[in-house]
Amino acid sequence: MRRFALILGTLACSGALLNAAGAGEIKGHVLISRRLTKPRVSVPSYQIRGPSALPPGAPLTLADEFKKTTIYLETASAIPATPVAASLSQKGQRFEPGIVIIPVGSAVSFPNQDPIFHNVFSLSPARQFDLGYYPAGQSRELKFDQAGIVQVYCHLHPDMNAVIIVAPTPWYLQPDASGSFSFPSLPAGPYTVVVWHRSAGFFRRSVEVSDQNAVELSFEIPVQEAPDR
Amino acid sequence: MKPRVSLPTRIFLISFVTVCLVAGAGFWALNQALRGKINERLKESFQMSGKLLDDVAAHYRKRSIQMLSVISENAGLKAAMGLLREVPPGQEGSVQIRRTIEANLFEIGRGLEYQLMLVTDSGGRPVAGTVNRIWGTIPVEPLPSSFDPSPLIEVQGTLYEATTVPINLGTENLGSLTVAREFDIASWSPSGETVLLYQGKILRSTFPASVLPGVESQLTRHCTDQQESCEITVNGESYLVHPLERTDWESDKKLFGFQSLDAAMDDFTRDFVGVFIWIGVAGMMGALLLAFVGARSVSKPITDLILRLKASQTAGRLAADFPTDSAIEEMNLLASTMNEAAQALAESNRQLDKANLEFLETMARALDARDPYTAGHSDRVSANSTAIAHTMGLPDREVEIIRIGAKMHDIGKIGVPDTVLQKRGPLNEEEFALIKLHPQIGKRILEKVGSFRDYLPIVELHHEDYDGRGYPYGLTGEQVPLGVRIVHVADVYDAITSDRAYRAAMQPGQVLEILTRGIGTQFDPEVIAVFLTLLRERQTLERLLGEAQSEVCYEDSIRS
């Protein structure tokens, strides 16, 4: 299979970002490779229903792929993180935003801002729940105590979906528009860098961080092209 | 050796065999034409039914896709499949995901007629599936390691016609859902056979396994054209093969419908077989009759001719009466030729008879001339006899017989010695006996020639008397033919009115007396009466009446 690297961004190593505390650093970039072969399933032209409507005038770009990507670090010892309060609203028959990243112990509220009934449920092992059906204006709240991926769906609208990433450590982020990422000021020790892409799933790499130098990583994520309309 | 066959048999065989051959060729040609027609019809029906079936299949597929598109918009299914993005296959928890999807499929498939449902992930790997068995719906176990979502798929050894739709989540593809029903090859050619060819190999067929290698090799050899029909032979049976079009299939899979030409012929001819048999039998009978009549009409005239010739052979005479009114020109020609030949033959026979007659007359005259006393005797007897017969009103033919017979009546005297014949003076007993032999000698001379048989009585019996005292047999009255009785009178009359070596000619009176005295004894009275009238008419009667004396008339009458 021919592969075609699309990533153009080059990581300018921002020099030795020396920390006074002598902390280490993990930095790197994410490469999205796209299989240019046609998808294995072709949709007939007369299919009455295609994929749910895309936001108008927004063709998929590389930046969109990075927005589907989350990177966090796992460590052997528990690192306490300050819980945050996040919100995942239902608006225009979509979950808004599509990705929510929170540290363990945070709570997420699910306000229904549409004039119709919605439902929120998840089958993900990290947190399985079903908030039931509730009408416009109401909200539900849930606390996430286990790290992992929580995919959220709506029974009433099969195309509505969102992902809540519960990070086990305070180190979590999304790559910037060029695919670069950086975790500065890390205590020395073993880490596992976890990259999760909504379509492609998990990519893990174990690294040893020392005080002296930065660990540089590169992740190649193969992504299936979106099906033809 | 050349076989000898009679003319009718020959004609019969030639015409009958020809008619049979022509009829047979006609039947063969008819059969061929029929076969061509049926072939054409079969092709048409193949094309139509193939198109129909393809349309039905396409319609079915379209409906399936529409339905599946609705079915696949299922939040539970999507949520379950979304889990695959957290838990890759093989990891802990993947079994639960699979069971969850299977449960979804059970739910979806309830009430649908699909035999197989299969879900693959976005990478095309099968993740869960259900299959219908007689006892219920069960998970597909084990799952196939890979899956190619083509319209015709094989799962666990069963061939399915499949429809696949993607399962999308927004712009993302989660995987695909495939539903399938068993591919029933027999349904594609209900009245014939069907073969599914995959990359030149037979994948499925309704033929028994034993003939498959032959079918396969013939198919790949003869039926390479995508559109055109072809013919192959299986177990001695001719099949019309037509590619059944499947618009949604890849080109390496081909479906062929087989229709038995022979069976189609049988179907068609079953209705007409009775008629055909009747026509055949009637044709044969007609040919038989025609040949028979033809042979007869040709041979009959010839056979008739042969029979006629045979009859003439038996009769010893060739009649010039062959019929020339036959409808056959050649036969008329033949008959007229035969007639001419017969006429020529008859003419030559007449000539021969005439020559014989003249010869005998000459002989008789020569005999008369041996003795000056009897010279002209035969001619005179003939003249008088003819006159009498004519007067008595006998038919001309008999008169003619009498005229000639009288001329030859004494021909037998050739066999009588001259010494006796010309003896002067009375004859003794022995000499009389010799004289009396001459009628039979004459008869023996003449009977050798067939055409003289009419004269034989005159020669043989001209010395028989009316009262039976004559010789050689002593016949009486009517036993002797009238012509002979006439000649007898004329003979005696000439004898006694002529000079003889032993006496002179008698006087008229004597002659008359002898004649009258012989009435009823020596002569037929009627003949004498006529003769006397004749004599009178010759005006010699008066002279004859004046003299009347004779004693030697008896001897004269014997020697004359």
PDB file of all heavy atoms in Angstrom, chain B residues 14 22 94 107 149 160 174 210 226 232 275 322 361 396 423 447 483 501 526-527 545 548 555:
ATOM      1  N   ILE B  14     -36.959 -48.092 -58.069  1.00  0.00           N
ATOM      2  CA  ILE B  14     -36.384 -46.778 -58.385  1.00  0.00           C
ATOM      3  C   ILE B  14     -37.290 -45.658 -57.903  1.00  0.00           C
ATOM      4  O   ILE B  14     -36.874 -44.753 -57.188  1.00  0.00           O
ATOM      5  CB  ILE B  14     -36.138 -46.645 -59.901  1.00  0.00           C
ATOM      6  CG1 ILE B  14     -34.958 -47.544 -60.294  1.00  0.00           C
ATOM      7  CG2 ILE B  14     -35.860 -45.207 -60.289  1.00  0.00           C
ATOM      8  CD1 ILE B  14     -34.751 -47.669 -61.770  1.00  0.00           C
ATOM      9  N   VAL B  22     -36.443 -38.587 -50.934  1.00  0.00           N
ATOM     10  CA  VAL B  22     -36.881 -37.183 -50.971  1.00  0.00           C
ATOM     11  C   VAL B  22     -37.663 -36.844 -49.707  1.00  0.00           C
ATOM     12  O   VAL B  22     -37.447 -35.814 -49.069  1.00  0.00           O
ATOM     13  CB  VAL B  22     -37.735 -36.930 -52.233  1.00  0.00           C
ATOM     14  CG1 VAL B  22     -38.446 -35.592 -52.127  1.00  0.00           C
ATOM     15  CG2 VAL B  22     -36.852 -36.962 -53.463  1.00  0.00           C
ATOM     16  N   SER B  94     -12.860  -6.974  23.829  1.00  0.00           N
ATOM     17  CA  SER B  94     -13.309  -7.022  22.436  1.00  0.00           C
ATOM     18  C   SER B  94     -14.417  -8.047  22.225  1.00  0.00           C
ATOM     19  O   SER B  94     -15.281  -7.860  21.369  1.00  0.00           O
ATOM     20  CB  SER B  94     -12.124  -7.326  21.518  1.00  0.00           C
ATOM     21  OG  SER B  94     -11.674  -8.631  21.746  1.00  0.00           O
ATOM     22  N   GLU B 107     -31.291  -8.295  16.607  1.00  0.00           N
ATOM     23  CA  GLU B 107     -32.444  -7.408  16.698  1.00  0.00           C
ATOM     24  C   GLU B 107     -32.853  -6.896  15.310  1.00  0.00           C
ATOM     25  O   GLU B 107     -34.014  -6.890  14.944  1.00  0.00           O
ATOM     26  CB  GLU B 107     -32.066  -6.227  17.612  1.00  0.00           C
ATOM     27  CG  GLU B 107     -33.225  -5.636  18.348  1.00  0.00           C
ATOM     28  CD  GLU B 107     -33.901  -6.685  19.241  1.00  0.00           C
ATOM     29  OE1 GLU B 107     -33.190  -7.474  19.911  1.00  0.00           O
ATOM     30  OE2 GLU B 107     -35.133  -6.733  19.224  1.00  0.00           O
ATOM     31  N   PRO B 149     -16.243  -7.203   0.234  1.00  0.00           N
ATOM     32  CA  PRO B 149     -17.681  -6.941   0.108  1.00  0.00           C
ATOM     33  C   PRO B 149     -18.158  -6.913  -1.340  1.00  0.00           C
ATOM     34  O   PRO B 149     -18.608  -5.895  -1.832  1.00  0.00           O
ATOM     35  CB  PRO B 149     -17.846  -5.580   0.765  1.00  0.00           C
ATOM     36  CG  PRO B 149     -16.544  -4.914   0.518  1.00  0.00           C
ATOM     37  CD  PRO B 149     -15.496  -5.972   0.521  1.00  0.00           C
ATOM     38  N   TYR B 160     -23.242 -16.559  -0.974  1.00  0.00           N
ATOM     39  CA  TYR B 160     -24.319 -15.612  -0.692  1.00  0.00           C
ATOM     40  C   TYR B 160     -24.314 -14.494  -1.716  1.00  0.00           C
ATOM     41  O   TYR B 160     -23.268 -14.096  -2.219  1.00  0.00           O
ATOM     42  CB  TYR B 160     -24.142 -14.991   0.695  1.00  0.00           C
ATOM     43  CG  TYR B 160     -24.294 -15.963   1.829  1.00  0.00           C
ATOM     44  CD1 TYR B 160     -23.180 -16.596   2.378  1.00  0.00           C
ATOM     45  CD2 TYR B 160     -25.547 -16.233   2.365  1.00  0.00           C
ATOM     46  CE1 TYR B 160     -23.316 -17.485   3.426  1.00  0.00           C
ATOM     47  CE2 TYR B 160     -25.687 -17.126   3.419  1.00  0.00           C
ATOM     48  CZ  TYR B 160     -24.566 -17.752   3.948  1.00  0.00           C
ATOM     49  OH  TYR B 160     -24.698 -18.629   4.979  1.00  0.00           O
ATOM     50  N   LEU B 174     -17.237   4.003  10.274  1.00  0.00           N
ATOM     51  CA  LEU B 174     -17.018   3.058  11.365  1.00  0.00           C
ATOM     52  C   LEU B 174     -16.804   1.646  10.837  1.00  0.00           C
ATOM     53  O   LEU B 174     -16.238   0.801  11.512  1.00  0.00           O
ATOM     54  CB  LEU B 174     -18.224   3.061  12.305  1.00  0.00           C
ATOM     55  CG  LEU B 174     -18.450   4.339  13.117  1.00  0.00           C
ATOM     56  CD1 LEU B 174     -19.751   4.224  13.907  1.00  0.00           C
ATOM     57  CD2 LEU B 174     -17.286   4.577  14.056  1.00  0.00           C
ATOM     58  N   SER B 210     -20.255 -35.217 -11.987  1.00  0.00           N
ATOM     59  CA  SER B 210     -19.476 -36.049 -12.912  1.00  0.00           C
ATOM     60  C   SER B 210     -19.261 -35.361 -14.267  1.00  0.00           C
ATOM     61  O   SER B 210     -18.278 -35.622 -14.946  1.00  0.00           O
ATOM     62  CB  SER B 210     -20.187 -37.384 -13.109  1.00  0.00           C
ATOM     63  OG  SER B 210     -21.489 -37.164 -13.564  1.00  0.00           O
ATOM     64  N   GLN B 226     -19.164 -12.508 -24.296  1.00  0.00           N
ATOM     65  CA  GLN B 226     -19.987 -12.115 -23.151  1.00  0.00           C
ATOM     66  C   GLN B 226     -21.477 -12.106 -23.475  1.00  0.00           C
ATOM     67  O   GLN B 226     -22.295 -12.343 -22.614  1.00  0.00           O
ATOM     68  CB  GLN B 226     -19.576 -10.708 -22.685  1.00  0.00           C
ATOM     69  CG  GLN B 226     -18.206 -10.651 -22.070  1.00  0.00           C
ATOM     70  CD  GLN B 226     -18.172 -11.302 -20.704  1.00  0.00           C
ATOM     71  OE1 GLN B 226     -19.126 -11.216 -19.963  1.00  0.00           O
ATOM     72  NE2 GLN B 226     -17.083 -11.976 -20.381  1.00  0.00           N
ATOM     73  N   ILE B 232     -23.197 -26.355 -26.359  1.00  0.00           N
ATOM     74  CA  ILE B 232     -22.273 -27.385 -25.909  1.00  0.00           C
ATOM     75  C   ILE B 232     -23.053 -28.683 -25.723  1.00  0.00           C
ATOM     76  O   ILE B 232     -24.284 -28.685 -25.712  1.00  0.00           O
ATOM     77  CB  ILE B 232     -21.545 -27.011 -24.592  1.00  0.00           C
ATOM     78  CG1 ILE B 232     -22.521 -27.049 -23.413  1.00  0.00           C
ATOM     79  CG2 ILE B 232     -20.887 -25.667 -24.690  1.00  0.00           C
ATOM     80  CD1 ILE B 232     -21.792 -27.059 -22.098  1.00  0.00           C
ATOM     81  N   VAL B 275     -49.167 -35.934 -36.003  1.00  0.00           N
ATOM     82  CA  VAL B 275     -49.355 -35.435 -37.367  1.00  0.00           C
ATOM     83  C   VAL B 275     -48.204 -35.891 -38.251  1.00  0.00           C
ATOM     84  O   VAL B 275     -48.406 -36.377 -39.368  1.00  0.00           O
ATOM     85  CB  VAL B 275     -49.435 -33.895 -37.355  1.00  0.00           C
ATOM     86  CG1 VAL B 275     -49.594 -33.372 -38.775  1.00  0.00           C
ATOM     87  CG2 VAL B 275     -50.591 -33.447 -36.486  1.00  0.00           C
ATOM     88  N   PHE B 322     -52.257 -56.093 -83.279  1.00  0.00           N
ATOM     89  CA  PHE B 322     -51.777 -55.499 -82.029  1.00  0.00           C
ATOM     90  C   PHE B 322     -52.414 -54.132 -81.881  1.00  0.00           C
ATOM     91  O   PHE B 322     -52.383 -53.339 -82.818  1.00  0.00           O
ATOM     92  CB  PHE B 322     -50.251 -55.361 -82.044  1.00  0.00           C
ATOM     93  CG  PHE B 322     -49.552 -56.685 -81.979  1.00  0.00           C
ATOM     94  CD1 PHE B 322     -48.990 -57.254 -83.112  1.00  0.00           C
ATOM     95  CD2 PHE B 322     -49.493 -57.370 -80.777  1.00  0.00           C
ATOM     96  CE1 PHE B 322     -48.378 -58.466 -83.046  1.00  0.00           C
ATOM     97  CE2 PHE B 322     -48.863 -58.601 -80.716  1.00  0.00           C
ATOM     98  CZ  PHE B 322     -48.307 -59.156 -81.849  1.00  0.00           C
ATOM     99  N   GLU B 361     -51.176 -77.760-108.922  1.00  0.00           N
ATOM    100  CA  GLU B 361     -52.013 -77.742-110.131  1.00  0.00           C
ATOM    101  C   GLU B 361     -51.207 -78.257-111.327  1.00  0.00           C
ATOM    102  O   GLU B 361     -51.672 -79.063-112.111  1.00  0.00           O
ATOM    103  CB  GLU B 361     -52.500 -76.321-110.421  1.00  0.00           C
ATOM    104  CG  GLU B 361     -53.805 -76.002-109.738  1.00  0.00           C
ATOM    105  CD  GLU B 361     -54.273 -74.588-110.068  1.00  0.00           C
ATOM    106  OE1 GLU B 361     -54.173 -74.180-111.241  1.00  0.00           O
ATOM    107  OE2 GLU B 361     -54.730 -73.884-109.139  1.00  0.00           O
ATOM    108  N   ASP B 396     -69.007 -68.019-101.787  1.00  0.00           N
ATOM    109  CA  ASP B 396     -67.870 -67.907-102.689  1.00  0.00           C
ATOM    110  C   ASP B 396     -66.651 -68.658-102.167  1.00  0.00           C
ATOM    111  O   ASP B 396     -65.897 -69.262-102.922  1.00  0.00           O
ATOM    112  CB  ASP B 396     -67.487 -66.424-102.870  1.00  0.00           C
ATOM    113  CG  ASP B 396     -68.531 -65.708-103.716  1.00  0.00           C
ATOM    114  OD1 ASP B 396     -69.392 -66.434-104.281  1.00  0.00           O
ATOM    115  OD2 ASP B 396     -68.487 -64.471-103.793  1.00  0.00           O
ATOM    116  N   LYS B 423     -53.638 -99.210-118.203  1.00  0.00           N
ATOM    117  CA  LYS B 423     -53.895-100.572-118.748  1.00  0.00           C
ATOM    118  C   LYS B 423     -55.076-100.551-119.716  1.00  0.00           C
ATOM    119  O   LYS B 423     -56.108 -99.913-119.415  1.00  0.00           O
ATOM    120  CB  LYS B 423     -54.202-101.531-117.579  1.00  0.00           C
ATOM    121  CG  LYS B 423     -54.343-102.961-118.039  1.00  0.00           C
ATOM    122  CD  LYS B 423     -54.641-103.892-116.853  1.00  0.00           C
ATOM    123  CE  LYS B 423     -54.834-105.324-117.422  1.00  0.00           C
ATOM    124  NZ  LYS B 423     -55.203-106.239-116.330  1.00  0.00           N
ATOM    125  N   GLU B 447     -51.654 -83.367 -96.870  1.00  0.00           N
ATOM    126  CA  GLU B 447     -51.821 -83.007 -95.456  1.00  0.00           C
ATOM    127  C   GLU B 447     -50.547 -82.459 -94.829  1.00  0.00           C
ATOM    128  O   GLU B 447     -50.561 -81.893 -93.750  1.00  0.00           O
ATOM    129  CB  GLU B 447     -52.328 -84.207 -94.655  1.00  0.00           C
ATOM    130  CG  GLU B 447     -51.289 -85.276 -94.403  1.00  0.00           C
ATOM    131  CD  GLU B 447     -51.893 -86.506 -93.704  1.00  0.00           C
ATOM    132  OE1 GLU B 447     -53.062 -86.443 -93.296  1.00  0.00           O
ATOM    133  OE2 GLU B 447     -51.180 -87.504 -93.571  1.00  0.00           O
ATOM    134  N   GLY B 483     -69.619 -80.306-100.897  1.00  0.00           N
ATOM    135  CA  GLY B 483     -68.631 -79.966-101.935  1.00  0.00           C
ATOM    136  C   GLY B 483     -68.071 -81.240-102.560  1.00  0.00           C
ATOM    137  O   GLY B 483     -67.902 -81.351-103.786  1.00  0.00           O
ATOM    138  N   ALA B 501     -58.705 -95.484-122.898  1.00  0.00           N
ATOM    139  CA  ALA B 501     -57.909 -96.428-123.667  1.00  0.00           C
ATOM    140  C   ALA B 501     -58.699 -97.710-123.930  1.00  0.00           C
ATOM    141  O   ALA B 501     -58.563 -98.330-124.973  1.00  0.00           O
ATOM    142  CB  ALA B 501     -56.631 -96.766-122.895  1.00  0.00           C
ATOM    143  N   GLU B 526     -79.916 -84.174-105.091  1.00  0.00           N
ATOM    144  CA  GLU B 526     -79.993 -82.716-105.238  1.00  0.00           C
ATOM    145  C   GLU B 526     -78.943 -82.225-106.219  1.00  0.00           C
ATOM    146  O   GLU B 526     -79.205 -81.387-107.089  1.00  0.00           O
ATOM    147  CB  GLU B 526     -79.742 -82.072-103.864  1.00  0.00           C
ATOM    148  CG  GLU B 526     -80.382 -80.708-103.714  1.00  0.00           C
ATOM    149  CD  GLU B 526     -80.127 -80.132-102.327  1.00  0.00           C
ATOM    150  OE1 GLU B 526     -80.027 -80.959-101.350  1.00  0.00           O
ATOM    151  OE2 GLU B 526     -80.005 -78.904-102.202  1.00  0.00           O
ATOM    152  N   VAL B 527     -77.707 -82.753-106.020  1.00  0.00           N
ATOM    153  CA  VAL B 527     -76.618 -82.346-106.903  1.00  0.00           C
ATOM    154  C   VAL B 527     -76.919 -82.744-108.340  1.00  0.00           C
ATOM    155  O   VAL B 527     -76.734 -81.979-109.284  1.00  0.00           O
ATOM    156  CB  VAL B 527     -75.288 -82.977-106.437  1.00  0.00           C
ATOM    157  CG1 VAL B 527     -74.153 -82.622-107.401  1.00  0.00           C
ATOM    158  CG2 VAL B 527     -74.956 -82.512-105.033  1.00  0.00           C
ATOM    159  N   LEU B 545     -80.639 -86.903-124.984  1.00  0.00           N
ATOM    160  CA  LEU B 545     -81.838 -87.704-124.817  1.00  0.00           C
ATOM    161  C   LEU B 545     -81.976 -88.739-125.950  1.00  0.00           C
ATOM    162  O   LEU B 545     -82.534 -89.806-125.773  1.00  0.00           O
ATOM    163  CB  LEU B 545     -83.079 -86.801-124.778  1.00  0.00           C
ATOM    164  CG  LEU B 545     -83.325 -86.097-123.425  1.00  0.00           C
ATOM    165  CD1 LEU B 545     -84.479 -85.086-123.575  1.00  0.00           C
ATOM    166  CD2 LEU B 545     -83.674 -87.113-122.352  1.00  0.00           C
ATOM    167  N   ALA B 548     -79.262 -93.480-125.573  1.00  0.00           N
ATOM    168  CA  ALA B 548     -79.263 -93.905-124.178  1.00  0.00           C
ATOM    169  C   ALA B 548     -78.779 -95.340-124.085  1.00  0.00           C
ATOM    170  O   ALA B 548     -79.497 -96.281-124.392  1.00  0.00           O
ATOM    171  CB  ALA B 548     -80.670 -93.773-123.571  1.00  0.00           C
ATOM    172  N   GLU B 555     -67.655 -99.360-114.135  1.00  0.00           N
ATOM    173  CA  GLU B 555     -66.185 -99.404-114.154  1.00  0.00           C
ATOM    174  C   GLU B 555     -65.612 -98.033-114.434  1.00  0.00           C
ATOM    175  O   GLU B 555     -64.658 -97.602-113.797  1.00  0.00           O
ATOM    176  CB  GLU B 555     -65.714-100.403-115.216  1.00  0.00           C
ATOM    177  CG  GLU B 555     -64.212-100.634-115.169  1.00  0.00           C
ATOM    178  CD  GLU B 555     -63.736-101.521-116.336  1.00  0.00           C
ATOM    179  OE1 GLU B 555     -64.548-102.320-116.829  1.00  0.00           O
ATOM    180  OE2 GLU B 555     -62.563-101.375-116.713  1.00  0.00           O
TER     181      GLU B 555
END
